[in-house]
Amino acid sequence: MSKTLILFSTVHGQTRKICERMAEVIRKQGEDVTLLPLSEAPPLSTYDKVVLGASIRHGKHNSAVYGYIEKNIEALKSKAGAFFSVSLVARKPAKNTAATNPYMQDFLGKSAWRPELLEVFGGNLDYRGYTAMDRNIIRFIMWLTKGPTDPDTKVEYTDWRKVDNFAREIATMEKLCP
């Protein structure tokens, strides 16, 4: 039985929700899973696999994601790894793959870590759950990108089947190189 560590960086909770679902799926495959916020990350020595999920806020991943990777790069390189990004941009078919998502490409340009698996998921849009400033910024971005701007909008863009498939891939993942 492999030991998998799932770490997440989230703003409004959708990335955590995705990680919780992934943990369930991976456990059903017979794996031992630990799920924690990035801020509570334990030493990696006892884990076989590391999964990191990060949301986008104002067009960027949290700087703590890059700091964590930089600090732990050698340990991360020695483990089977997966990274996924959660954003509203990924709601669009032309931007919902690791190869076509601008935030994933930005991540790959800034990070020395090259995990075996990469994925992007659509996030959750809930204007009522945002501060006034965030609501206005996101509504403006949605207006620019032809998304919903009604302040009562609440829509989840996460493709749960895609999440489940990614989790099953993680469950079968093994580090190929020492």
Side-chain angles (χ1 to χ4, degrees):
M1 173 187 329
S2 292
K3 291 183 71 173
T4 302
L5 175 63
I6 301 177
L7 299 171
F8 60 89
S9 171
T10 191
V11 177
H12 297 287
Q14 190 68 11
T15 304
R16 179 187 186 120
K17 186 175 175 182
I18 291 168
C19 286
E20 288 169 347
R21 173 75 166 256
M22 290 172 51
E24 284 179 34
V25 172
I26 295 168
R27 284 183 184 118
K28 286 180 183 174
Q29 303 295 314
E31 301 289 306
D32 180 15
V33 179
T34 301
L35 171 65
L36 292 168
L38 183 61
S39 61
E40 297 176 20
L44 299 178
S45 57
T46 62
Y47 295 96
D48 303 301
K49 303 173 188 180
V50 179
V51 179
L52 177 55
S55 64
I56 295 296
R57 180 177 173 94
H58 304 309
K60 298 177 184 173
H61 290 105
N62 187 320
S63 62
V65 171
Y66 298 106
Y68 177 81
I69 291 169
E70 187 176 313
K71 180 180 174 189
N72 295 283
I73 189 64
E74 292 308 317
L76 287 166
K77 285 180 176 180
S78 73
K79 311 287 178 187
F83 176 79
F84 69 92
S85 182
V86 179
S87 69
L88 291 173
V89 167
R91 77 186 188 283
K92 295 185 161 216
K95 296 182 180 181
N96 72 358
T97 70
T100 62
N101 186 277
Y103 300 122
M104 180 62 77
Q105 294 308 304
D106 185 58
F107 169 81
L108 293 171
K110 291 179 179 176
S111 174
W113 185 39
R114 293 294 179 265
E116 288 84 349
L117 297 176
L118 299 170
E119 191 56 89
V120 295
F121 301 112
N124 184 47
L125 177 62
D126 181 4
Y127 287 121
R128 293 168 290 171
Y130 304 146
T131 65
M133 185 177 82
D134 280 348
R135 184 171 39 256
N136 288 327
I137 291 169
I138 294 169
R139 284 182 72 205
F140 179 67
I141 293 167
M142 284 297 186
W143 177 76
L144 289 173
T145 62
K146 311 273 189 271
T149 57
D150 182 320
D152 291 325
T153 298
K154 181 175 176 151
V155 60
E156 186 175 64
Y157 291 106
T158 305
D159 178 342
W160 293 105
R161 192 170 327 150
K162 187 175 175 182
V163 171
D164 292 347
N165 289 339
F166 187 62
R168 283 191 286 275
E169 284 185 77
I170 291 166
T172 62
M173 177 174 65
E174 293 181 27
K175 185 68 181 170
L176 299 177
C177 306

